[in-house]
Amino acid sequence: MSVLRDGQYVGTVATREVEMREIISMMVGREVSGDARPAPHRRSDDVALAVENLSTRNFLSDVSFEVRRGEVLGFAGLMGAGRTEVARCIFGADPRQSGTIAVNGHPVRIRSAADAVRAGIGYLSEDRKRYGLVLEHDVKANTALAAMGDFSTAGYTRDAKIRATGEEYARRLRVKTPSVNQLVRNLSGGNQQKVVIAKWLVRDCDVLIFDEPTRGIDVGAKEEIYELIESLSAQGKAVIVISSELPEVLRVSHRIAVMAHGRITGFLDNAEADQESIMQLATVGKAQLKGHVS
Amino acid sequence: MSVLRDGQYVGTVATREVEMREIISMMVGREVSGDARPAPHRRSDDVALAVENLSTRNFLSDVSFEVRRGEVLGFAGLMGAGRTEVARCIFGADPRQSGTIAVNGHPVRIRSAADAVRAGIGYLSEDRKRYGLVLEHDVKANTALAAMGDFSTAGYTRDAKIRATGEEYARRLRVKTPSVNQLVRNLSGGNQQKVVIAKWLVRDCDVLIFDEPTRGIDVGAKEEIYELIESLSAQGKAVIVISSELPEVLRVSHRIAVMAHGRITGFLDNAEADQESIMQLATVGKAQLKGHVS
Amino acid sequence: MSTAATAPTTPPVPVTPEGTDERRSPVRDALRASLQQLFVFAALIVVFAFFMAFANNFDPVVVIPNILLQAAAIGTMALGATFIIATGGIDLSVGTGMTFCAVMAGVFMSSAFMNLPLGVGLLLTLGVGVAIGLVNGILIAFLDIPPFIATLAMMMVTRGLSLIISGSSSIRIENPDYAWISNGRLLPFLSNAALIFILLGVVAAVLLGKTLLGRYALAIGSNEEATRLSGINVRLWKTLVYVTAGVFTALGAILYSGRFGFVQPAEGLGMELQVIAAVVIGGTSLAGGRANIVGTMMGALLMMTLSVGLQMMGVAQQWQLVVTGVVVLMAVYADILRRKRAASL
Amino acid sequence: MSTAATAPTTPPVPVTPEGTDERRSPVRDALRASLQQLFVFAALIVVFAFFMAFANNFDPVVVIPNILLQAAAIGTMALGATFIIATGGIDLSVGTGMTFCAVMAGVFMSSAFMNLPLGVGLLLTLGVGVAIGLVNGILIAFLDIPPFIATLAMMMVTRGLSLIISGSSSIRIENPDYAWISNGRLLPFLSNAALIFILLGVVAAVLLGKTLLGRYALAIGSNEEATRLSGINVRLWKTLVYVTAGVFTALGAILYSGRFGFVQPAEGLGMELQVIAAVVIGGTSLAGGRANIVGTMMGALLMMTLSVGLQMMGVAQQWQLVVTGVVVLMAVYADILRRKRAASL
Amino acid sequence: STSGSGTTSPATGTTPAAPATTSTTAAPSGDLAADPTLPKGDGTQTVYLVSKGFQHRFWQAVREGAEQAGEDYGYRVEFVGPENEQAITQQLDQLRTALQQQPAAIGFAALDSGAAGPVLEEIQAADIPVIAFDSGVESDIPLTTVSTDNRAAAAAAAEHMVELVGGTGTVGLVCHDQTSATGQQRCEGFQEYMAENAPEITSLDPQYAGEVGLAANTARALIQANPGMVGIYGSNEASAIGALQGTVESGQDLTVVGFDSGQAQLDAIRSGQEAGAVTQSPVRMGYLTVEAAVRAINDLPLDEVIDSGYAWYDATNIDDPQIAANLYE
Ligand SMILES: Nc1ncnc2c1ncn2[C@@H]1O[C@H](COP(=O)(O)OP(=O)(O)OP(=O)(O)O)[C@@H](O)[C@H]1O
Ligand SMILES: Nc1ncnc2c1ncn2[C@@H]1O[C@H](COP(=O)(O)OP(=O)(O)OP(=O)(O)O)[C@@H](O)[C@H]1O
Ligand SMILES: [Mg+2]
Ligand SMILES: [Mg+2]
């Protein structure tokens, strides 16, 4: 079997002899780790995001957790467990009934996404077409959208800078697009997702929430996104990753919060976590939660 | 570790001793097959869907394939390979430049989704909120939407029948909803997906195209959907499953078509297919395709 | 019974919805719907009570039939417009289109023109309404021209044609049977126009709630693409919606011109805004997907009550404009608030 | 250089776009944009040529400055409306709001009222425009009232207030400097009103293309929710868009009333439709997200050319309505066709 | 059934306009004094006037006259009018609402002379006297019609136009409304006079523009398309002002003749930009309407037609008190 990259020959391996991981490695041009776990966490003591007793009128109840700088906190759970709702509440996109949020130790009042972004939080929605992208704008405009203040002087936009930044991030994230002037509508799903990521990287938030970051994305691109998350945490950012794929949660998270029925049913360190232990927490019955967690 | 179903105790297993598959089995209440392959295919000779030389103006070129009754044809490929576009073209949602489509041996003229549905084709879009559901309608209305003709007499809708059918399918597909009067907007993603599936089951199409049917859906629900696909093919329906998850493609498909750059780069029988062979076809370079497939 | 998903006889299900959800939702839905109607209704009651207290001779026995009569034509047009707005469209040609239908009714039935018998004339008038709806529908559904533009153009065209055909003078329809359609009294206390309006409201409610037309209109308004991809011929049904509205417009024209037995070809401009206001005050969403026939009727009555009551109070008309504007705002805003609150319950 | 993704120095990437894509898109985008503008432009040329051939004395040297002068006020209002429509909104109050600004200009500057100096009067008039925009903006952005309804109410309210404040009489602004703003000639061949209109077009184009206001307006029009979730204060920017439009409305009022030195408080109703038609003919999408300032200017000129030319041809006014309606339809439809074709290329 | 039989019937317009050679029937302002022979009301009864509009100063002047008469005779006066001069049904609804208030008498300025039949019958059935004003009604229910003879007034404007332009050339018409009787009469009266008395003058087809901007644009188009134009006529305040502005902008020196008054028109006439205009007597019309209503309430006899008068005015007589009393700013 010949492996080609961009139509160029990279190497030959005997089919059936190679492992999947090797092929992907050859494709993406470097070693990748299949069932790998994240690099050990240099535990920082600075809490980047602290959420306490977050509740909404009809679903979430008493959600509390913290994420430290440089830490990746995974959120696992079955569908409808309420992970997206937690993220949207923190981000000010859904109203919360009670609960406090502190960023870098300072309590912040978040009543809208604008408040959240100002506080240094970025959110990559699970539904990127609806909530993440302005499909009729081009790649560079979407990339700059969350940080337009930095790209303008007295309200006047600096187009050259927007373009240069768009190109820089398109290159860094390997966005497959003919140019940064391409409308995002014309990109394929995975590349659209990369544009959303670029938008939040440009904004340089302290806390980043990825909601199903690899939904509908192929295996090569997935690995790229995992590595990106790793490098973000290495830079000291606090990252939350919501995912319905257990291997994915295990692959990227230092710690894992598991949710069921709008509550957090437990936290697991990556070292002690495996698919079984996550599933156990994810399937806690509602009856037990109403009484006490057994 | 205690396994609970709906808050009820089902069994205890020593953590770490059990396999993931067993836990899922206990959860869903019956034996499931983890890395399983589909049941061997009783090969039918009736071609349910034949597509020939399908091309679009700027992307697809010369896509030809057939699906037989009772067969599941998987479509694999990297992101942007054009699988969704193939499905949308067949379904009349995107314009095609050339190509013929035959259903059950009869050539059909498909210029709109209405034509396709009339010809017996159903399409479950990868973006269900945008293309699959009327979010502001309730479960039963969405379930009946594609077959409203069957639920009305001289234009007058038969609400009792709509309700009964909605309830029947909500039960059969295990849609988690307080009632069939619930607005679909209020369901979680996985349950929304089930409503879309119900819509096409009610319509009783001969050919069903699932585009990323388990995107954003948790492991338990995934397995349910795989079984559903299996049972549909057992009923003699022709099923196409587009997926970016190689294990999923392998799990459900009797045969696999692999796409790259808007072309089909090869077909694999399930028996001969594995992740490696699929990836090889999915990563064929564009240069080679332009000359000849090596 | 809404227990399908939880019935104990169903095969085991991973997680089942629990009782509270079960109880909450259908009741809440029904409550929400009725509150919404109740709101216009409440506004109507408040406004009415206010006028009874402060306006001269605002005697309900006299005023109510009068308001119903006066609201009949616009209300009928608003019933049709409800369907269009349900699809997310809009009809700016409803006022001038009504006038055009009335002018054509005059042409068909006036002794100065064709002098056709009543039945034929009425049928032909309805046909004119169908034609207007058909043209609007084809422009919008098949040529993909935005409803605002298509019906704006139609507004200009029907207005021009009305003036051309009538020679810019008003047309008299002398046939007493024609006048009877509006002014006669099958019921002792209500003019026929009011009665017809109420009956047409029932017809519209059935059309919206119990037929494919209504369901598809709402589905298209909620998510046109998903409706199309469910195999529904959206172009066809959208066209039918405009045709239906055209029929209501023609009916409105008959009620309108029948009342005075004459037609003024320059009238009708601006009426579209009253029609749309009535529909929106009634709880139908301009974004499409949500419509309420009873609300539309109440909305039309509210607008007419305001106009009659303010006049009877002797409020200067300049101020009537201001007051009506503010009431429209308050009505719509209250509805929005109520919906927001309901959504976060 | 648009080669970022394919530059050979970048780290290896699984699959790279190939040359054709590279070449195709920016060129196509630019072409598409210019074709779009070209279309109204082409329509304008055709219409103009037609009148030169068939209308009496349709002498370009006289007629062009005339059309520019006559289109200046409506065109200016349309520039502002372009921003609103770019956000997916609409402004029905633009006509009566213009009249209200003009009435207030009269109140500020007429000797019969406050008789303020020109500079102060102009500033205050702009302030009135800001106030109208602010109220519209708050109703829409903060109270979530649909733009159609908010501005419909505003239409009624401003109309009522104009009549109340003026006592229903027309107001004369005698100040010759005020008249000079519109009627004077800084350039030998163009009245100031036309010149100001063109300059305001440039300002609007810069605002739309090169400032946060324009970018956010378009982003909101394309996907309001995604814009909000990017941390942009959508309510604030939407309000600013309406305020900006209010300023253009006030400028339109100054050009309009300055031309006559005279304000008639009952005018303005119906003008909103001409304004919206100009914007849409110019290629701005009523759905929001796509706007074109040059197109809007051409649209306003096209409407005015039609009106002047048809009148000079001696076409009866009833027929002018019909012809204008048909031309509006054709212009919008041609634009739709062109865009469809471009999309499938 | 028509109310008018004589030469001054404004309603039917069947008689050709009497060439009003002296063309000044304007009443002196001092004339607006209460008739001492009429019994006074006790201030509790209402005379209800349904006019053609409320947004033009003309109607406000009518209202002022009516209110003055109401004060003089001891009646409350209510005054309403429709949104615009095409809104006939709205006006009829207002008439019906007026009826429900059971006033002592109703004054009615019909937008359409034929439309009000059914409502008027209801009013008659309720024994409420009806006085027509401004324009007549095709019905014998109104006891009298208080109006300006619009045809004659327009003929007066035409007469002065002929004089001012020297009897030859092309003249354009900017008329304010195409569908109302008043609008038609003011155009037709002008045209008919020209046809009968000025064979050398070509009068163009009337153009309709009731708003200043439209009228100005219309005038410009007329002037541009017809190089030989010498004069232009505007049939109400807005049309006249617009016609004047269009003329000024065209850089032509045309004779502009208008109708009604208003500050801008008064200024233009004073400065000589506009040659002159015909004014009605709106205050007087209102006063006489209420006075006629009081007569009707007391079952006193009424003439079939009451002429409220009109007058030609120009820079020379604009400050004449008899004229000035009818002009409004
Ligand atoms: N049983 C249920 N019935 C109705 N609504 C439910 C139910 N469970 C959850 N929901 C709704 O689903 C929402 C929570 O789902 P959310 O999207 O936050 O979950 P998630 O963990 O992100 O799951 P998904 O995989 O579906 O994205 C809440 O708004 C809640 O109202
Ligand atoms: N390199 C590229 N540059 C621009 N557009 C591309 C490129 N590759 C694919 N596309 C566009 O993507 C579309 C095909 O993607 P489609 O969604 O059909 O693929 P898919 O196999 O379903 O992938 P996905 O996983 O993203 O859903 C085509 O419309 C094509 O124009
Ligand atoms: Mg989620
Ligand atoms: Mg796809």
Side-chain angles (χ1 to χ4, degrees), chain E residues 101-320:
Chain E
Q101 309 228 61
Q102 300 291 322
I106 290 177
F108 179 47
L111 281 175
D112 185 283
S113 58
V119 190
L120 288 178
E121 276 159 31
E122 281 182 51
I123 295 175
Q124 190 182 38
D127 248 348
I128 297 171
V130 178
I131 309 296
F133 68 100
D134 191 57
S135 53
V137 181
E138 271 180 44
S139 157
D140 40 20
I141 293 173
L143 301 170
T144 182
T145 302
V146 181
S147 70
T148 308
D149 185 342
N150 277 307
R151 257 170 220 284
E159 182 198 352
H160 282 91
M161 174 73 87
V162 172
E163 213 170 88
L164 289 160
V165 302
T168 62
T170 304
V171 170
L173 285 76
V174 179
C175 296
H176 70 278
D177 184 41
Q178 190 169 11
T179 49
S180 74
T182 308
Q184 287 165 356
Q185 287 161 8
R186 287 195 194 166
C187 248
E188 288 162 12
F190 190 93
Q191 285 177 299
E192 283 160 9
Y193 181 90
M194 288 296 181
E196 288 168 21
N197 302 301
E200 312 271 281
I201 288 184
T202 317
S203 74
L204 298 170
D205 284 344
Q207 297 290 316
Y208 295 92
E211 295 188 351
V212 188
L214 270 182
N217 298 348
T218 301
R220 286 200 72 165
L222 278 178
I223 292 165
Q224 179 65 23
N226 301 282
M229 256 171 75
V230 294
I232 193 161
Y233 162 67
S235 74
N236 76 355
E237 181 191 355
S239 302
I241 290 296
L244 178 64
Q245 179 65 22
T247 307
V248 171
E249 284 173 5
S250 304
Q252 310 264 343
D253 190 20
L254 300 191
T255 300
V256 178
V257 164
F259 217 107
D260 294 339
S261 44
Q263 176 80 56
Q265 199 165 199
L266 299 185
D267 288 355
I269 289 174
R270 260 185 240 282
S271 71
Q273 271 191 313
E274 181 175 335
V278 174
T279 179
Q280 309 179 70
S281 315
V283 179
R284 187 173 155 79
M285 182 186 290
Y287 195 94
L288 293 180
T289 302
V290 171
E291 191 174 274
V294 174
R295 284 183 159 278
I297 291 165
N298 292 293
D299 289 325
L300 296 170
L302 278 165
D303 292 339
E304 203 161 352
V305 170
I306 298 171
D307 188 352
S308 57
Y310 62 87
W312 167 263
Y313 70 103
D314 55 23
T316 61
N317 68 345
I318 192 167
D319 294 318
D320 182 329

Side-chain angles (χ1 to χ4, degrees), chain B residues 18-40:
Chain B
V18 288
E19 285 281 295
M20 185 63 196
R21 198 181 308 165
E22 278 174 44
I23 295 185
I24 297 175
S25 302
M26 291 173 84
M27 278 166 50
V28 300
R30 62 196 139 30
E31 184 72 20
V32 295
S33 36
D35 288 337
R37 298 292 175 107

Side-chain angles (χ1 to χ4, degrees), chain B residues 83-84 126 211-212 215 242:
Chain B
R83 297 159 295 163
T84 297
E126 59 184 330
D211 196 351
E212 311 281 1
R215 185 170 278 190
I242 299 171

Side-chain angles (χ1 to χ4, degrees), chain B residues 6 155 157 167 171 178 182 199, chain C residues 1 10 13-15 22 25 230:
Chain B
D6 310 338
T157 52
E167 281 171 355
R171 192 172 54 235
Q182 179 75 319
K199 175 172 80 175
Chain C
M1 44 156 279
T10 54
V13 172
V15 181
E22 184 69 23
S25 191
S230 296

Side-chain angles (χ1 to χ4, degrees), chain E residues 13-29:
Chain E
T14 46
T15 50
T21 40
T22 51
S23 78
T24 309
T25 55
S29 60

Side-chain angles (χ1 to χ4, degrees), chain A residues 102-252:
Chain A
V103 175
N104 293 329
H106 306 290
V108 284
R109 273 194 84 175
I110 294 178
R111 279 163 309 172
S112 70
D115 290 340
V117 172
R118 209 173 305 115
I121 304 175
Y123 171 58
L124 290 85
S125 155
E126 60 184 331
D127 189 346
R128 54 185 167 255
K129 287 196 189 175
R130 209 171 251 247
Y131 300 129
L133 293 165
V134 181
L135 290 171
E136 299 302 333
H137 282 196
D138 60 18
V139 170
K140 62 180 190 302
N142 273 283
T143 305
L145 186 60
M148 281 303 282
D150 302 342
F151 291 103
S152 64
T153 321
Y156 193 88
T157 53
R158 280 147 63 194
D159 295 351
K161 196 171 165 199
I162 290 173
R163 184 184 180 93
T165 306
E167 281 170 355
E168 179 193 337
Y169 279 84
R171 193 172 52 237
R172 268 168 57 177
L173 300 187
R174 302 193 186 82
V175 179
K176 279 189 274 171
T177 176
S179 95
V180 292
N181 301 320
Q182 178 77 319
L183 297 190
V184 170
R185 170 179 294 296
N186 298 330
L187 298 188
S188 71
N191 287 301
Q192 289 179 344
Q193 181 72 318
K194 288 183 180 174
V195 174
V196 183
I197 295 175
K199 175 173 78 176
W200 291 110
L201 294 186
V202 169
R203 172 74 206 197
D204 198 20
C205 299
D206 297 333
V207 179
L208 273 168
I209 308 175
F210 289 78
D211 195 351
E212 310 281 1
T214 65
R215 186 171 277 191
I217 284 180
D218 68 67
V219 58
K222 267 184 188 172
E223 195 54 42
E224 287 185 67
I225 287 172
Y226 300 155
E227 284 172 12
L228 188 84
I229 290 172
E230 219 155 52
S231 84
L232 288 171
S233 83
Q235 285 164 39
K237 294 192 188 304
V239 181
I240 293 174
V241 176
I242 298 171
S243 173
S244 296
E245 307 284 331
L246 295 185
E248 177 166 302
V249 173
L250 289 166
R251 165 73 184 80
V252 298

Side-chain angles (χ1 to χ4, degrees), chain D residues 8-142:
Chain D
T9 55
T10 53
V13 172
V15 181
T16 330
E18 62 326 351
T20 54
D21 274 344
E22 185 69 21
R23 261 173 281 125
R24 197 176 52 196
S25 191
V27 178
R28 207 172 72 198
D29 279 16
L31 203 74
R32 201 184 294 175
S34 71
L35 269 178
Q36 194 171 308
Q37 288 181 18
L38 210 86
F39 174 72
V40 218
F41 191 60
L44 195 56
I45 300 281
V46 169
V47 167
F48 210 86
F50 176 84
F51 287 132
M52 289 203 25
F54 296 104
N56 285 343
N57 292 309
F58 197 84
D59 174 1
V61 178
V62 183
V63 169
I64 290 178
N66 178 24
I67 289 174
L68 273 168
L69 168 65
Q70 294 185 9
I74 287 217
T76 299
M77 289 148 71
L79 291 175
T82 305
F83 287 82
I84 290 179
I85 296 178
T87 66
I90 201 149
D91 185 3
L92 297 180
S93 70
V94 65
T96 55
M98 185 282 281
T99 305
F100 183 64
C101 289
V103 165
M104 293 310 295
V107 168
F108 298 138
M109 288 176 273
S110 164
S111 62
F113 289 84
M114 297 168 68
N115 206 8
L116 298 174
L118 187 71
V120 179
L122 291 179
L123 272 184
L124 286 175
T125 305
L126 292 181
V128 174
V130 168
I132 294 177
L134 202 59
V135 173
N136 275 335
I138 288 173
L139 291 175
I140 292 163
F142 287 88

